[in-house]
């Protein structure tokens, strides 16, 4: 849905989620785009030796997880939607070859005045073991 209006949003409204497979190629592409070339992300041999997070695997960047969570909002309400604030927490590393499930729900509505009204959207990232790996609350300014 694009061009969502404030009056069309309700507390409890679910945003369509999606799944994302976290391949090494996906991690590598994010590393190049973000200029974060830490070997814990991009070097499987190094990660196997170091076991930085207790596993011999590379891990996804935390900011990539946050970007995927923001995608729940932009996929549902359009790429130009005004996200004005994000509050994120990462609870568990995202290992290579994981399948993440991302889902969101409108948690609160804030009536300020036209052009300043916003919805607070809570988004979660869940791994293949059904563990929470990240959460983010987004303030999203909506017209109307």
């Amino acid at each position: 849905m694009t061009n969502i209006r404030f009056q069309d949003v309700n507390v409890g409204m679910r945003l369509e989620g999606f799944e994302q497979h976290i391949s090494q190629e996906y991690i590598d592409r994010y590393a190049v785009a973000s200029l974060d070339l830490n070997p814990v992300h991009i070097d499987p041999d190094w990660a196997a030796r170091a076991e930085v997070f207790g596993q011999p695997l590379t891990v996804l960047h935390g900011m990539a997880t946050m970007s995927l969570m923001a995608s729940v909002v932009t996929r549902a309400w359009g790429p130009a939607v005004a996200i004005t604030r994000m509050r994120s927490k990462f609870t568990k590393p995202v290992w290579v070859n994981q399948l993440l499930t991302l889902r969101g729900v409108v948690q609160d509505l804030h009536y300020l005045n036209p052009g300043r009204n916003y919805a607070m959207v809570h988004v979660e990232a869940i791994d293949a073991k059904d563990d929470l790996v990240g959460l983010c609350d987004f303030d999203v300014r909506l017209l109307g």
Side-chain angles (χ1 to χ4, degrees):
M1 181 182 288
T2 59
N3 300 321
I4 188 89
R5 299 187 57 80
F6 187 73
Q7 59 265 30
D8 299 327
V9 175
N10 299 303
V11 171
M13 176 181 188
R14 298 205 176 276
L15 281 64
E16 185 175 344
F18 66 98
E19 293 180 339
Q20 177 66 53
H21 178 257
I22 307 302
S23 66
Q24 188 60 53
E25 180 183 6
Y26 185 89
I27 294 171
D28 292 346
R29 287 175 184 247
Y30 186 86
V32 171
S34 67
L35 300 176
D36 183 348
L37 304 176
N38 187 317
V40 74
H41 304 300
I42 64 168
D43 188 336
D45 293 333
W46 184 91
R49 288 189 309 274
E51 293 191 23
V52 173
F53 296 106
Q55 293 286 330
L57 302 168
T58 57
V59 297
L60 182 65
H61 303 73
M63 293 300 105
T65 304
M66 188 167 66
S67 177
L68 287 168
M69 289 188 285
S71 293
V72 172
V73 176
T74 59
R75 285 174 178 223
W77 292 349
V81 70
I83 295 173
T84 60
R85 184 173 170 182
M86 306 159 86
R87 293 170 300 284
S88 300
K89 180 185 275 188
F90 307 107
T91 58
K92 182 181 172 187
V94 177
W95 310 109
V96 67
N97 294 322
Q98 283 281 315
L99 181 67
L100 289 187
T101 300
L102 299 116
R103 57 187 180 215
V105 63
V106 175
Q107 197 118 34
D108 204 359
L109 296 174
H110 296 270
Y111 303 89
L112 299 176
N113 60 45
R116 294 190 61 221
N117 295 333
Y118 68 96
M120 197 276 285
V121 178
H122 178 78
V123 177
E124 295 180 342
I126 308 295
D127 69 11
K129 294 182 179 180
D130 208 31
D131 290 338
L132 181 71
V133 298
L135 56 97
C136 192
D137 292 326
F138 295 92
D139 291 349
V140 184
R141 186 169 295 145
L142 298 171
L143 298 175

